[in-house]
Amino acid sequence: AGSGTLPLRDLDLDALTIPELQDRMDAGRLSSVVLTGAYLARIVALDDELGAVLSVNPKALEDAAASDRTRQRKGPRSPLEGIPVLLKDNVDTEQMPTTAGSRALLDSEPDDATITRRLREAGAIVIGKANLSEWANFRGADSTSGWSAVGGQTASPYVLDRNPCGSSSGSGVGVAASLAQVAIGTETDGSIVCPAGQNGVVGLKPTLGLVSRDGIVPISAEQDTAGPMARHAVDAAILLQVVAGTDDADAATAEIPADLDADFADLDLDALQGARIGVWTLTPEQAAQVEDDTEAVFAAAVKQLEAAGATPVPVQLAYQDEIGAGETPALLAEFKRDVNAYLAQTPGEHPADLAGLIEFNAQDPVELAYFGQELFEQAQAATVPAEDPAVQATRDRIRQLARASIDEVLAQGPGPEDDLDAVVGLTNTPAWQTRYQSVDGQADAFVYSTSGPAAVAGYPNVSVPAGFAGLRGALPVGVSFFGARWADAELLDIAADFEDQAAAREEPGYLPTVGADPQPDNPQPGT
């Protein structure tokens, strides 16, 4: 069932890139109807055990047929013409429900989000909605990633009893298992890059403001962004190129520089030649938590950077404790503001505000089955609004520190020749076994992350497959490249060159288990 060729006997869906698919469709050797049908067949064959797809677009094949007609009459509208795309189910779609994984939103009736509309106008086929950690992992203090009351539990396609990380779990698993060619995820802190790393795919958290957030269920406008997830860097770049750009409905997009190079898909596979890459090394305390085989993957990735012509420079990023201490208090106030605004402007039958969501969950038979809603309750109880000077000061301070932590490392020496092009760090440690607080007292065994600085700074961060670790060497590990604000194109070049050099991704094996491993203490996972 795991074969990438199902049901196209002569096409390996796992390996094919969007440009290769476009060549076949332009030549008349493939149609969007056949391609979309192949992905729909894989969803039927595999998703019962993966839980990655929360809902399927009932008109996907009709949309594909319309795309084929457009190609025949006028040519492709974009490099995404006819390409099936999964959307995380916190991105509004008029055709399907948008639930954020919550039963409270089953009867909401939103219009298309800006990025949904851009995808449709580009000829992409919205094949379905991806499962996610409910409310993007911002409901319970001890939540289980990849679980939602609407979609159930998402599983790693590499080892089915392992966790896919969150909150863009279904997006990461959906592309890893070839249930769609590409997917949209969202991140506040870690929720694109962690599931990308843990599921062996490429995931880009863009610079905040590069992609419109209009019509996306929020945590905080100060950190939220949507971004691409794909099996190949070129596909992620093509997806970004279609959805990026200014939008009157999202003021942050007005900050996109007028001269920004937005030709993201024109990748430079020699980007690492002569580059200087900061290597964010583990501290002794971190090294004690990270297993030796995971450290070996990172060490091998650094060797691959050198083999591609880059100079690695060991670095440490400052201010991390201060950034971490201020992030959640700021997010709690901002979440209350932003989710109330989203609910107020979204038509349909659903709770009117955060207080109504809390009441709904308390009375629902499913919502609180595995973990609570402590973050909801803390946000609701906060009497200080997001506009309060103290909250604003915290947000301004942690953003300033996060930007400084990256900027100071990039500008290392006395001259421009000493500057770094990017920083690289481990995206993730191998996936832990999926557990539930209410069942065995322990949820996500989250060990280590490098997502915080770029997330809080609003800077770009891209995770790329780097190797495998864990029991039987069966679990993917990624590395993350992050850099300066608006340096998304440069980071995609670096990611594509590293991907080409390392060639680390392997097709999922759908193993039932590889056995149990120790479960360390649990910090809050990606949001």
Short mmCIF file of all heavy atoms in Angstrom, two decimals, residues 22 25-26 65-79 81 121-123:
data_model
loop_
_atom_site.label_atom_id
_atom_site.label_comp_id
_atom_site.label_asym_id
_atom_site.label_seq_id
_atom_site.Cartn_x
_atom_site.Cartn_y
_atom_site.Cartn_z
N GLN A 22 4.33 18.97 -14.87
CA GLN A 22 3.90 19.95 -15.87
C GLN A 22 4.37 19.55 -17.26
O GLN A 22 3.64 19.71 -18.25
CB GLN A 22 4.38 21.35 -15.50
CG GLN A 22 3.76 21.94 -14.25
CD GLN A 22 2.26 22.21 -14.41
OE1 GLN A 22 1.69 22.12 -15.48
NE2 GLN A 22 1.61 22.53 -13.29
N MET A 25 2.04 16.92 -18.49
CA MET A 25 0.70 17.43 -18.82
C MET A 25 0.74 18.29 -20.07
O MET A 25 -0.16 18.22 -20.91
CB MET A 25 0.12 18.17 -17.63
CG MET A 25 -0.29 17.23 -16.49
SD MET A 25 -1.33 17.96 -15.20
CE MET A 25 -0.10 18.84 -14.25
N ASP A 26 1.79 19.10 -20.23
CA ASP A 26 1.92 19.92 -21.44
C ASP A 26 2.05 19.05 -22.69
O ASP A 26 1.59 19.41 -23.78
CB ASP A 26 3.12 20.86 -21.33
CG ASP A 26 2.87 22.02 -20.37
OD1 ASP A 26 1.68 22.28 -20.06
OD2 ASP A 26 3.85 22.65 -19.93
N ALA A 65 -10.87 18.52 -14.10
CA ALA A 65 -11.32 18.53 -15.49
C ALA A 65 -11.36 19.95 -16.05
O ALA A 65 -10.98 20.19 -17.21
CB ALA A 65 -12.71 17.88 -15.59
N ALA A 66 -11.78 20.90 -15.22
CA ALA A 66 -11.78 22.30 -15.65
C ALA A 66 -10.36 22.79 -15.90
O ALA A 66 -10.11 23.55 -16.85
CB ALA A 66 -12.47 23.16 -14.60
N SER A 67 -9.43 22.36 -15.07
CA SER A 67 -8.03 22.72 -15.28
C SER A 67 -7.50 22.16 -16.60
O SER A 67 -6.80 22.85 -17.35
CB SER A 67 -7.18 22.21 -14.11
OG SER A 67 -5.80 22.34 -14.40
N ASP A 68 -7.85 20.91 -16.89
CA ASP A 68 -7.41 20.31 -18.16
C ASP A 68 -7.97 21.09 -19.35
O ASP A 68 -7.26 21.30 -20.35
CB ASP A 68 -7.86 18.84 -18.23
CG ASP A 68 -7.06 17.94 -17.31
OD1 ASP A 68 -5.90 18.27 -17.01
OD2 ASP A 68 -7.60 16.89 -16.89
N ARG A 69 -9.23 21.52 -19.27
CA ARG A 69 -9.81 22.30 -20.37
C ARG A 69 -9.09 23.63 -20.53
O ARG A 69 -8.81 24.07 -21.66
CB ARG A 69 -11.31 22.52 -20.12
CG ARG A 69 -12.14 21.24 -20.25
CD ARG A 69 -13.62 21.56 -20.30
NE ARG A 69 -14.11 22.14 -19.06
CZ ARG A 69 -14.58 21.41 -18.03
NH1 ARG A 69 -14.60 20.08 -18.10
NH2 ARG A 69 -15.02 22.01 -16.94
N THR A 70 -8.77 24.26 -19.41
CA THR A 70 -8.05 25.53 -19.47
C THR A 70 -6.68 25.34 -20.11
O THR A 70 -6.25 26.15 -20.96
CB THR A 70 -7.89 26.13 -18.06
OG1 THR A 70 -9.18 26.42 -17.52
CG2 THR A 70 -7.06 27.41 -18.09
N ARG A 71 -5.99 24.29 -19.75
CA ARG A 71 -4.67 24.03 -20.33
C ARG A 71 -4.78 23.84 -21.86
O ARG A 71 -3.95 24.36 -22.62
CB ARG A 71 -4.05 22.78 -19.69
CG ARG A 71 -2.62 22.48 -20.16
CD ARG A 71 -2.13 21.15 -19.61
NE ARG A 71 -2.06 21.15 -18.16
CZ ARG A 71 -1.01 21.56 -17.46
NH1 ARG A 71 0.08 22.00 -18.07
NH2 ARG A 71 -1.04 21.52 -16.14
N GLN A 72 -5.80 23.11 -22.29
CA GLN A 72 -5.96 22.85 -23.72
C GLN A 72 -6.30 24.11 -24.49
O GLN A 72 -5.82 24.30 -25.62
CB GLN A 72 -7.04 21.79 -23.93
CG GLN A 72 -6.63 20.39 -23.44
CD GLN A 72 -7.80 19.43 -23.38
OE1 GLN A 72 -8.95 19.82 -23.62
NE2 GLN A 72 -7.54 18.17 -23.05
N ARG A 73 -7.10 24.98 -23.88
CA ARG A 73 -7.57 26.16 -24.60
C ARG A 73 -6.58 27.32 -24.56
O ARG A 73 -6.35 28.01 -25.56
CB ARG A 73 -8.91 26.63 -24.01
CG ARG A 73 -10.06 25.67 -24.24
CD ARG A 73 -11.29 26.12 -23.44
NE ARG A 73 -12.39 25.17 -23.55
CZ ARG A 73 -13.46 25.20 -22.77
NH1 ARG A 73 -13.57 26.12 -21.82
NH2 ARG A 73 -14.42 24.31 -22.92
N LYS A 74 -6.00 27.55 -23.36
CA LYS A 74 -5.21 28.77 -23.16
C LYS A 74 -3.80 28.51 -22.66
O LYS A 74 -2.99 29.43 -22.57
CB LYS A 74 -5.92 29.70 -22.16
CG LYS A 74 -7.33 30.10 -22.55
CD LYS A 74 -7.96 30.96 -21.46
CE LYS A 74 -9.39 31.33 -21.82
NZ LYS A 74 -10.04 32.13 -20.74
N GLY A 75 -3.51 27.27 -22.27
CA GLY A 75 -2.24 26.99 -21.63
C GLY A 75 -2.35 27.14 -20.12
O GLY A 75 -3.34 27.69 -19.61
N PRO A 76 -1.35 26.67 -19.39
CA PRO A 76 -1.41 26.73 -17.92
C PRO A 76 -1.38 28.16 -17.40
O PRO A 76 -0.66 29.01 -17.91
CB PRO A 76 -0.18 25.94 -17.48
CG PRO A 76 0.74 25.98 -18.66
CD PRO A 76 -0.12 26.03 -19.87
N ARG A 77 -2.18 28.41 -16.36
CA ARG A 77 -2.22 29.75 -15.74
C ARG A 77 -1.01 30.00 -14.85
O ARG A 77 -0.65 31.14 -14.59
CB ARG A 77 -3.50 29.88 -14.92
CG ARG A 77 -4.75 30.05 -15.74
CD ARG A 77 -6.00 29.82 -14.92
NE ARG A 77 -6.24 28.38 -14.69
CZ ARG A 77 -7.34 27.90 -14.13
NH1 ARG A 77 -8.30 28.73 -13.72
NH2 ARG A 77 -7.49 26.59 -13.99
N SER A 78 -0.41 28.92 -14.34
CA SER A 78 0.73 29.05 -13.44
C SER A 78 1.42 27.69 -13.37
O SER A 78 0.89 26.70 -13.88
CB SER A 78 0.27 29.47 -12.03
OG SER A 78 -0.12 28.33 -11.27
N PRO A 79 2.58 27.63 -12.71
CA PRO A 79 3.22 26.31 -12.54
C PRO A 79 2.43 25.35 -11.64
O PRO A 79 2.81 24.19 -11.54
CB PRO A 79 4.57 26.67 -11.88
CG PRO A 79 4.80 28.09 -12.20
CD PRO A 79 3.46 28.72 -12.26
N GLU A 81 -0.84 24.79 -12.23
CA GLU A 81 -2.02 24.37 -12.99
C GLU A 81 -2.21 22.85 -12.88
O GLU A 81 -1.32 22.06 -13.21
CB GLU A 81 -1.87 24.75 -14.46
CG GLU A 81 -3.09 24.44 -15.31
CD GLU A 81 -4.27 25.36 -15.02
OE1 GLU A 81 -4.15 26.58 -15.27
OE2 GLU A 81 -5.30 24.85 -14.53
N GLU A 121 -7.15 30.45 -8.47
CA GLU A 121 -6.92 31.27 -9.66
C GLU A 121 -5.68 30.82 -10.43
O GLU A 121 -5.58 31.05 -11.64
CB GLU A 121 -6.79 32.74 -9.26
CG GLU A 121 -8.11 33.34 -8.77
CD GLU A 121 -7.93 34.74 -8.19
OE1 GLU A 121 -6.76 35.17 -8.00
OE2 GLU A 121 -8.96 35.40 -7.91
N ALA A 122 -4.74 30.17 -9.72
CA ALA A 122 -3.54 29.66 -10.37
C ALA A 122 -3.78 28.30 -11.02
O ALA A 122 -2.87 27.76 -11.67
CB ALA A 122 -2.41 29.54 -9.35
N GLY A 123 -4.98 27.74 -10.85
CA GLY A 123 -5.30 26.46 -11.45
C GLY A 123 -5.01 25.26 -10.57
O GLY A 123 -5.16 24.11 -11.01
#
